[in-house]
Amino acid sequence: MEVIVIEKESYKELLVQLHQMVMKGTRDAIREALSATDPTQDWVSAQEAMKILNVKKNKLIELRDLREITSSLHGRKYMYSKRSMNAFLQRNII
């Protein structure tokens, strides 16, 4: 067994640094979770959807037409829901 001895002040400083790192990680996780629930952050373009799903344009259109993924038409541009794409990928795990 190995024993490491450090000064009391150094130990306290390490605890403060550890606490700061945990708090930053927690804040980042909360921020990420909140942005995931923000509806404005959910919609992506066709190009981004193709990257997320790793498909070509024809397959993306097929998935949209079959209502496998949620889409919304804005003028002449389709937008795709990241949540529905993630759900689609989860449903199709082998």
Side-chain angles (χ1 to χ4, degrees):
M1 180 167 90
E2 226 178 288
V3 177
I4 299 173
V5 179
I6 60 173
E7 294 177 24
K8 185 177 184 178
E9 291 303 317
S10 297
Y11 175 72
K12 286 181 180 180
E13 186 178 316
L14 283 173
L15 285 180
V16 169
Q17 290 175 0
L18 178 63
H19 178 61
Q20 289 172 344
M21 289 173 55
V22 169
M23 293 303 292
K24 182 184 181 314
T26 303
R27 278 193 303 274
D28 292 347
I30 290 170
R31 190 175 298 119
E32 184 178 322
L34 289 175
S35 71
T37 60
D38 183 5
T40 61
Q41 299 295 322
D42 187 43
W43 297 95
V44 296
S45 68
Q47 293 297 324
E48 292 173 273
M50 288 187 291
K51 284 181 187 175
I52 290 169
L53 296 171
N54 194 27
V55 297
K56 296 192 187 251
K57 190 173 185 176
N58 290 339
K59 184 63 175 179
L60 182 65
I61 293 169
E62 179 185 339
L63 292 172
R64 178 187 74 207
D65 292 345
L66 293 172
R67 298 191 186 272
E68 291 285 341
I69 58 174
T70 305
S71 64
S72 178
L73 183 60
H74 301 273
R76 295 177 60 199
K77 184 177 178 181
Y78 278 95
M79 300 295 286
Y80 298 89
S81 167
K82 286 194 277 188
R83 285 188 205 140
S84 70
M85 289 185 282
N86 287 332
F88 171 78
L89 292 172
Q90 289 296 317
R91 284 192 309 268
N92 291 289
I93 291 177
I94 299 175

